[in-house]
Amino acid sequence: MSPCLCGYSGGFMIDMKFIRENAELIRKNLQDRGNKLNLDELLGMDEERRKLIKKAEELKFKRNVDSEKIAQLKKEKKDADALIKEMKEIGDEIKKLDGELGVYEKKVNDMLLLIPNIPDPSVPVSTDPKDNREVRTWGKKPEFDFQPRPHWDIGEALGILDLGRASKITGAHFAIYKGLGAKLERALINFMLDLHIDKHGYKEIWPPILVNRGCITGTGQLPKYEEDMYRCDLDDIFPIPTAEVPLTGFHKDEVLEEKDLPVYYTAYTPCFRREAGSYGKDTRGLLRVHQFDKVEMVKLTKPEDSDAEHEKMVQNAEEVIQLLKLPYRVILLCTVEIGFSARKCYDLEIWAPAQNRWLESSSCSNCGDFQARRLNIRYRKKDGKTELVHTLNGSGIALARTFAAILENYQQKDGSVIVPDVLKPYMGGVDVIK
RNA sequence: GGAGAGGUGGCCGAGCGGUUGAUGGCACCGGUCUUGAAAACCGGCAUUGACGCAAGUCAAUCGUGAGUUCGAAUCUCACCCUCUCCGCCA
């Protein structure tokens, strides 16, 4: 294993063996995900790599044996010059082979980091997003005796949202919350955190929101999605696109105790996304801003528990929306839609009546051992052996679209917005924003 | 940013050019003893890769990378991280 320049030190070589032995499975996975990676190129480079390993290792064996002979000769005060001369030549040859080998290892590793996780059998196989499966819906879409207005109109009119002025201080696609809008955002954050901490048993973490390349390569956003991230070039660190990165990377290179699993973490953080490739899409209001707030949930579990823990996590996210009394649906994503690191993913979408559409507000993924392998997070079992943990992450939930959904679902004819009951204690007695 | 000290197996901690993948302790697993447990004693206990049906053989790994050497945990250089002191700063 030779770590790449970024300080990434995960155990990706395990992957290569699996890929070699399950080439067709991987090929199908790439196809199902609509991924164009050239698997044959990878397999070919791996074969070259292994040939070089074999050659180099044979020579190293000889070097080790003869070095011991030299030590023995010297001990007996005998002449070892001839052998030393021969070893010098072998040493040069080894160096040459290792150099070649390094080139292939780097190529293989670079490509391995681009192989996505293998979906769970319960995931619908399709390259068409239409084949996402609606699992359940909750709540009733509100009916208005007036034409409901979109959140950007409501927010601007109430003076709680400023969607234009941010271009003066940052650029397009950034939002400013003002007055009771800022307070509502803060109320949502606190409400969600308290729910997950006090009722669902998560431990609150307040992490760095700048992360290094190794950590974010471990969670899988790199190397594939580098253009979607902001980067601090001078230090090669990145503002996080989601708190999943620091929360999952928290235990990088650690061996956990079995009795300590599962681990539940939650954190509020802002999230930063360049949204490259989506210019002109959802440009209005809060739908696709480059900085948004999110409360995130992360779990580290034993492999046999991850599916059940995943379902529980989805319910934890659903409860947020239920308590806010917003209509939503749960979607099981098909193969082309699930994230790079995920083997199964549910999206929660909240109804936005003025736009007559669903807004994706949470994504709950089971990543299996994919991230754990890249981050080298294991746990020690009763028999003393170590095994990779499973990692899960889910939004609990994303704020911007929830904020938008509240404005649209709770709007009244006079332009005011009723504060959802559960948020009232967090709003200092304000029950209507007007 | 400057000056020092240090980074060794799950943890602690020896080693400072030639069977050292690495003494020892703790933890963990198995056993003896015990009514049971503890203690004591005995044994086991790193990871990854290549080859192999397998048993296994070989290679690599002592922060990371490069160098010196026939041979490096041990010597040299660069970088990263941790700690202490100084400076700067919210």
Side-chain angles (χ1 to χ4, degrees), chain A residues 102-162:
Chain A
V103 173
Y104 279 97
E105 300 237 281
K106 173 142 179 34
K107 281 188 193 167
V108 167
N109 290 340
D110 286 353
M111 267 184 105
L112 277 180
L113 288 171
L114 288 165
I115 304 253
N117 200 357
I118 297 159
D120 186 81
S122 63
V123 172
V125 176
S126 174
T127 52
D128 187 343
K130 285 196 186 73
D131 289 318
N132 290 340
R133 189 179 300 155
E134 186 177 294
V135 179
R136 57 184 168 269
T137 61
W138 186 94
K140 217 174 127 229
K141 294 177 183 173
E143 286 167 21
F144 298 95
D145 55 5
F146 58 94
Q147 182 63 40
R149 294 193 294 161
H151 67 272
W152 50 87
D153 283 351
I154 303 167
E156 297 261 12
L158 288 173
I160 61 172
L161 266 185
D162 189 325

Side-chain angles (χ1 to χ4, degrees), chain A residues 271-316:
Chain A
C271 301
F272 304 88
R273 299 183 182 182
R274 295 186 63 240
E275 301 288 355
S278 67
Y279 301 122
K281 206 164 126 192
D282 298 331
T283 51
R284 304 223 51 187
L286 295 170
L287 296 185
R288 197 173 290 276
V289 280
H290 291 197
Q291 175 184 335
F292 62 95
D293 296 303
K294 182 154 65 74
V295 169
E296 181 76 0
M297 304 173 286
V298 160
K299 292 184 181 183
L300 273 50
T301 76
K302 293 192 270 183
E304 61 268 31
D305 296 338
S306 74
D307 284 328
E309 292 289 353
H310 188 205
E311 299 298 327
K312 264 173 73 183
M313 181 183 270
V314 175
Q315 282 166 27
N316 295 155

Side-chain angles (χ1 to χ4, degrees), chain A residues 318-354:
Chain A
E318 284 184 63
E319 190 168 340
V320 172
I321 314 176
Q322 288 170 8
L323 288 170
L324 290 169
K325 295 182 181 153
L326 294 166
Y328 71 92
R329 62 177 189 176
V330 181
I331 304 288
L332 175 61
L333 299 186
C334 71
T335 47
V336 77
E337 290 267 288
I338 59 175
F340 178 79
S341 302
R343 53 181 278 247
K344 184 171 184 174
C345 179
Y346 292 103
D347 273 4
L348 305 185
E349 301 181 336
I350 303 179
W351 180 248

Side-chain angles (χ1 to χ4, degrees), chain A residues 175-373:
Chain A
I176 298 173
Y177 300 81
K178 298 186 295 186
L180 287 177
K183 192 158 192 165
L184 180 61
E185 185 79 351
R186 203 148 48 82
L188 278 165
I189 292 166
N190 284 330
F191 154 64
M192 293 179 197
L193 280 175
D194 286 347
L195 179 68
H196 296 316
I197 295 161
D198 298 334
K199 186 166 179 198
H200 299 148
Y202 291 76
K203 175 182 246 180
E204 184 177 7
I205 304 285
W206 203 280
I209 55 175
L210 292 173
V211 295
N212 63 37
R213 192 173 275 275
C215 180
I216 201 162
T217 301
T219 46
Q221 283 81 8
L222 284 183
K224 196 173 179 205
Y225 300 112
E226 179 147 6
E227 70 278 10
D228 269 314
M229 263 179 304
Y230 291 97
R231 181 176 67 233
C232 307
D233 244 339
L234 205 55
D235 299 292
D236 202 37
I237 53 180
F238 302 78
I240 55 172
T242 161
E244 164 199 345
V245 178
L247 291 185
T248 310
F250 189 83
H251 288 292
K252 186 177 192 296
D253 294 320
E254 288 183 26
V255 178
L256 306 173
E257 293 300 326
E258 181 167 7
K259 66 174 168 54
D260 295 332
L261 295 177
V263 173
Y264 286 24
Y265 292 138
T266 187
Y268 153 71
T269 68
C271 301
F272 304 88
R273 299 183 182 182
R274 295 186 63 240
E275 301 288 355
S278 67
Y279 301 122
K281 206 164 126 192
D282 298 331
T283 51
R284 304 223 51 187
L286 295 170
L287 296 185
R288 197 173 290 276
V289 280
H290 291 197
Q291 175 184 335
F292 62 95
D293 296 303
K294 182 154 65 74
V295 169
E296 181 76 0
M297 304 173 286
V298 160
K299 292 184 181 183
L300 273 50
T301 76
K302 293 192 270 183
E304 61 268 31
D305 296 338
S306 74
D307 284 328
E309 292 289 353
H310 188 205
E311 299 298 327
K312 264 173 73 183
M313 181 183 270
V314 175
Q315 282 166 27
N316 295 155
E318 284 184 63
E319 190 168 340
V320 172
I321 314 176
Q322 288 170 8
L323 288 170
L324 290 169
K325 295 182 181 153
L326 294 166
Y328 71 92
R329 62 177 189 176
V330 181
I331 304 288
L332 175 61
L333 299 186
C334 71
T335 47
V336 77
E337 290 267 288
I338 59 175
F340 178 79
S341 302
R343 53 181 278 247
K344 184 171 184 174
C345 179
Y346 292 103
D347 273 4
L348 305 185
E349 301 181 336
I350 303 179
W351 180 248
Q355 302 167 68
N356 201 38
R357 64 178 278 201
W358 300 94
L359 302 180
E360 181 193 330
S361 304
S362 174
S363 212
C364 298
S365 300
N366 183 351
C367 296
D369 63 11
F370 186 83
Q371 293 179 320
R373 176 173 295 114

